[in-house]
């Protein structure tokens, strides 16, 4: 019996992966995504890495239960450093981490010569703009973005392909996402409205004219601009 993914977030990630890819799932947790990718013939092979021993052991148990030990390999460690060039990875997924952490993982992989790979599917929990900026500075073109609400959280999924080009995005596109900004879904507007209200509350509590006040005022201005268009 195939494993069902009980996470719309991970289902969205799975849909972004090019069929037939060799995938590395960084921070694989319980290996739910690797098992789903193999069972649904989305990936041909998956390497999952995990820094926490408990979830890694649970992942190995899940892989064994599914009878997929020949197509899924789980490795202990953090980041892309668990991979080698001999793995011939096409796609890397990194989900459920802060944007700064994702950027540090990608930067270390780039420094070690393990990147670029053809495709990245990333789901940052925070600081999405930092992820987009890193991508555009390293030859990746953003090919799709989606936004969804799950378990009271709103998440962005960013898909990028390596093209060796340096795409030009505006400041607002880097901050809010070129695809998300163009679509302006209800979820997108609700997320930005909530962020605007948070910034406005903070702004009322700090002295005017300070560097922090000026920074927050700029963020408020950008959010109002996005929401009014």
């Amino acid at each position: 019996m195939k494993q069902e993914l009980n996470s719309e977030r991970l289902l969205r990630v799975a849909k972004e992966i090019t069929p037939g890819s060799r995938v590395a799932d960084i921070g694989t947790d319980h290996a739910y995504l690797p098992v789903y990718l193999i069972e649904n013939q989305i990936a041909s092979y998956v390497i999952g890495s995990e820094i926490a021993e408990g979830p890694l052991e649970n992942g190995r148990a899940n892989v064994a239960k599914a009878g997929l030990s020949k197509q899924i390999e789980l490795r202990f460690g953090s980041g892309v450093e668990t991979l080698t060039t001999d793995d011939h990875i096409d796609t890397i997924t990194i989900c459920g981490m802060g944007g700064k952490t994702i950027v540090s993982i990608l930067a270390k992989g780039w420094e070690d010569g393990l990147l670029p790979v053809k495709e990245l599917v990333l789901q940052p929990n925070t600081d999405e703009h930092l992820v987009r900026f890193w991508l555009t500075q390293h030859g990746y073109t953003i090919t799709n973005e989606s936004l969804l609400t799950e378990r009271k959280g709103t998440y962005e999924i960013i898909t990028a392909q390596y093209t060796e080009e340096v795409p030009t995005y505006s400041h607002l596109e880097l901050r809010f996402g070129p695809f998300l900004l163009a679509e302006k879904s209800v979820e997108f507007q609700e997320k930005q409205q909530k962020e605007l209200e948070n910034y406005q509350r903070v702004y009322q509590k700090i002295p005017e004219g300070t560097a922090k006040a000026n920074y927050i005022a700029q963020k408020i201005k950008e959010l109002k601009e996005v929401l009014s268009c």
Side-chain angles (χ1 to χ4, degrees):
M1 181 181 295
K2 288 184 178 180
Q3 171 188 277
E4 295 295 327
L5 271 181
N6 294 320
S7 168
E8 179 62 28
R9 179 174 54 91
L10 292 181
L11 282 170
R12 292 271 191 100
V13 169
K15 290 177 182 177
E16 291 298 318
I17 295 170
T18 301
S21 297
R22 291 176 64 89
V23 177
D25 183 35
I26 307 301
T28 196
D29 199 18
H30 300 285
Y32 295 136
L33 182 60
V35 170
Y36 181 86
L37 294 176
I38 294 297
E39 287 188 333
N40 289 274
Q41 300 180 334
I42 296 171
S44 60
Y45 191 82
V46 183
I47 295 171
S49 71
E50 176 57 53
I51 191 64
E53 292 187 2
L56 183 66
E57 288 306 312
N58 289 339
R60 286 175 173 151
N62 288 334
V63 170
K65 182 179 179 181
L68 297 175
S69 299
K70 292 184 178 180
Q71 292 166 280
I72 299 174
E73 181 183 351
L74 300 187
R75 298 175 181 174
F76 178 77
S78 63
V80 182
E81 64 197 45
T82 58
L83 307 176
T84 72
T85 54
D86 291 337
D87 293 323
H88 302 294
I89 294 300
D90 303 306
T91 300
I92 290 176
T93 63
I94 310 176
C95 306
M97 303 183 194
K100 290 181 181 179
T101 301
I102 290 177
V103 166
S104 68
I105 289 172
L106 295 174
K108 183 67 164 60
W110 189 277
E111 180 183 324
D112 291 344
L114 299 167
L115 286 171
V117 297
K118 294 178 182 177
E119 183 175 63
L120 297 173
V121 185
L122 310 170
Q123 185 268 295
N125 289 342
T126 59
D127 295 316
E128 298 90 350
H129 64 289
L130 298 180
V131 175
R132 282 188 278 266
F133 183 77
W134 188 92
L135 292 172
T136 59
Q137 296 301 303
H138 290 81
Y140 279 91
T141 297
I142 297 170
T143 55
N144 195 29
E145 294 171 308
S146 62
L147 189 70
L148 76 152
T149 300
E150 183 179 73
R151 296 175 185 172
K152 298 182 180 180
T154 302
Y155 304 102
E156 294 183 17
I157 297 168
I158 304 168
T159 305
Q161 300 282 339
Y162 185 66
T163 60
E164 299 186 47
E165 300 174 358
V166 181
T168 302
Y169 295 109
S170 69
H171 172 74
L172 289 180
E173 285 175 326
L174 284 175
R175 182 179 174 194
F176 298 101
F179 286 83
L180 299 178
L181 195 58
E183 182 182 3
K184 286 192 179 175
S185 66
V186 172
E187 288 170 317
F188 175 85
Q189 295 180 61
E190 288 177 348
K191 179 183 179 182
Q192 308 316 326
Q193 182 63 42
K194 185 179 295 185
E195 186 171 350
L196 172 61
E197 292 170 359
N198 288 337
Y199 273 127
Q200 288 173 327
R201 280 194 292 270
V202 173
Y203 186 74
Q204 292 173 356
K205 298 177 182 179
I206 57 178
E208 292 186 14
T210 62
K212 185 175 181 179
N214 293 337
Y215 171 82
I216 292 176
Q218 179 61 33
K219 296 300 180 185
I220 290 172
K221 180 182 177 182
E222 291 172 356
L223 284 161
K224 286 183 174 179
E225 180 182 344
V226 166
L227 289 167
S228 64
C229 294

